Amino acid sequence: MTDHAAPQLPEYGLGAAGLGNLYTAITDDEASAVLAAAKDAGFDYFDTAPYYGHGLSEQRIGAFLAEAGYRPALSTKVGRRLEPAGSNPVPDNGFASPAPFIPYFDYSARGIREGFAGSQARLGVDSVDMLLLHDVGAMVHGDAHPKILAQAVNEALPQMATLKAEGKTKWIGLGVNEIRVCEEILAQVDLDVLLLAGRYTLLEHEAALPFLNACHRRGVCVVIGGAFNSGLLAASAGEPLRYDYDTAPEWAVERAAQLRKVCADFDVPLPAAALQFCKAHPTVVSVIPGAKSAEQVRQISEWTRHPIDSGLWAALKERQLISADAPVS
């Protein structure tokens, strides 16, 4: 059991990758409108990272906070440092028109401290609520994973613990898209929180459910990102269907269609079921959908409040579209 107070967060927050121009660009004014709508909706928790738009997401949040005189809960990430691109081409990394910086992985103690200093400057804050080690794991690092894992345990996380002791953050943990690396690190280090994206969702949760149950027993809180599986569960007609930041495979498209049909039988929008399903697990402290317009934020807010009859969950379990053991309310 970890010796920390559980993160106190609103049930729903805002994932701010979209403010870094994920897939498509938005203007500074549009980004500000997203943040204002999130504030109005009570989504008083923003999650960002230096990687999102190569600093652009953090810059936009910092500008909004300074203008609005507002301080929500904040999480950002370490594990990449941003270097000015100069005359070098800027990689897009899935971000349209990112800031003119090149991100490099750096899990060294110095890289963690310097990376966080950059985030502090862009956000205009001295401290954040959660500091997360970003994108460790074999899925990202391949053959380099064992070396990165050792550096995460021996350098990065101890440096993050030092920042916590200095009052620069309340909670430390991981921000990742894979379960295995969470298990590997938790076997060696106590963490306060995990931000797990895309692995515990209405579409896909069978593998993650035992892990979340184990986190609950251990006292490790979880923030759920990617509740729509890169937008697949919230896509409107004609929108590109994505899964794990790429084109959705056929199995995912078919399963989403089956989920949508059962939800329609109960007059529940599929995205409402997707959000409320994620929030139902007792170890989940917040769910952070992304948005790229104020209208999207308002729509998400409606989905979080949409009444859902218990019959929907029973029907989904009966049709084996969700796990029989999944918490649903």
Side-chain angles (χ1 to χ4, degrees):
M1 194 71 157
T2 47
D3 58 346
H4 57 79
Q8 299 301 305
L9 296 171
E11 290 190 344
Y12 297 95
L14 178 73
L19 302 188
N21 292 347
L22 182 64
Y23 306 133
T24 56
I26 61 173
T27 67
D28 289 346
D29 286 347
E30 287 169 326
S32 182
V34 168
L35 293 164
K39 176 177 180 289
D40 290 346
F43 295 172
D44 294 318
Y45 164 39
F46 302 160
D47 170 70
T48 185
Y51 187 54
Y52 300 160
H54 305 173
L56 186 60
S57 175
E58 289 182 323
Q59 289 169 13
R60 285 170 161 172
I61 290 172
F64 176 78
L65 299 185
E67 186 173 334
Y70 166 61
R71 182 59 161 86
L74 292 173
S75 58
T76 194
K77 305 182 184 78
V78 285
R80 287 183 178 90
R81 55 185 167 81
L82 300 178
E83 296 287 343
S87 59
N88 296 311
V90 179
D92 68 32
N93 291 314
F95 299 99
S97 302
F101 293 87
I102 300 175
Y104 295 94
F105 287 113
D106 190 342
Y107 296 102
S108 69
R110 179 177 175 178
I112 296 304
R113 189 164 282 272
E114 291 182 355
F116 181 57
S119 291
Q120 289 172 295
R122 287 184 292 273
L123 289 166
V125 299
D126 186 53
S127 65
V128 296
D129 297 86
M130 287 195 298
L131 190 61
L132 305 169
L133 192 62
H134 203 190
D135 284 345
V136 285
M139 229 165 64
V140 176
H141 296 286
D143 292 343
H145 170 60
K147 180 181 176 183
I148 296 292
L149 179 65
Q151 192 174 35
V153 169
N154 296 323
E155 286 193 63
L157 287 163
Q159 187 61 234
M160 292 164 67
T162 299
L163 288 165
K164 179 181 172 181
E166 293 170 1
K168 302 300 183 185
T169 186
K170 296 176 186 174
W171 306 294
I172 62 171
L174 309 179
V176 294
N177 298 283
E178 54 186 298
I179 292 166
R180 180 66 188 137
V181 72
C182 297
E183 295 173 331
E184 290 172 325
I185 289 178
L186 282 169
Q188 303 177 67
V189 182
D190 274 338
L191 299 174
D192 302 320
V193 64
L194 301 169
L195 196 168
L196 189 61
R199 299 284 73 84
Y200 189 79
T201 71
L202 190 67
L203 179 79
E204 177 188 9
H205 55 270
E206 285 79 3
L209 182 57
F211 174 65
L212 260 65
N213 293 343
C215 286
H216 187 51
R217 290 192 297 271
R218 183 168 171 167
V220 177
C221 295
V222 176
V223 174
I224 296 293
F228 298 141
N229 286 102
S230 296
L232 177 61
L233 299 184
S236 302
E239 285 187 343
L241 299 179
R242 293 189 176 95
Y243 166 86
D244 261 7
Y245 313 104
D246 206 343
T247 302
E250 191 57 37
W251 73 263
V253 174
E254 289 177 2
R255 192 172 183 88
Q258 292 174 311
L259 290 165
R260 186 175 291 105
K261 182 179 184 303
V262 179
C263 287
D265 291 343
F266 288 84
D267 198 26
V268 173
L270 174 57
L275 289 168
Q276 294 185 43
F277 174 82
C278 290
K279 186 61 197 74
H281 196 287
T283 207
V284 172
V285 289
S286 192
V287 180
I288 50 167
K292 297 186 75 169
S293 70
E295 180 52 40
Q296 284 182 0
V297 175
R298 288 189 283 270
Q299 178 65 81
I300 288 167
S301 180
E302 289 179 16
W303 288 332
T304 66
R305 300 190 307 271
H306 191 96
I308 298 181
D309 187 277
S310 60
L312 170 61
W313 305 121
L316 289 170
K317 289 185 176 186
E318 184 183 330
R319 290 164 174 77
Q320 298 184 326
L321 288 170
I322 62 174
S323 170
D325 301 323
V328 291
S329 60

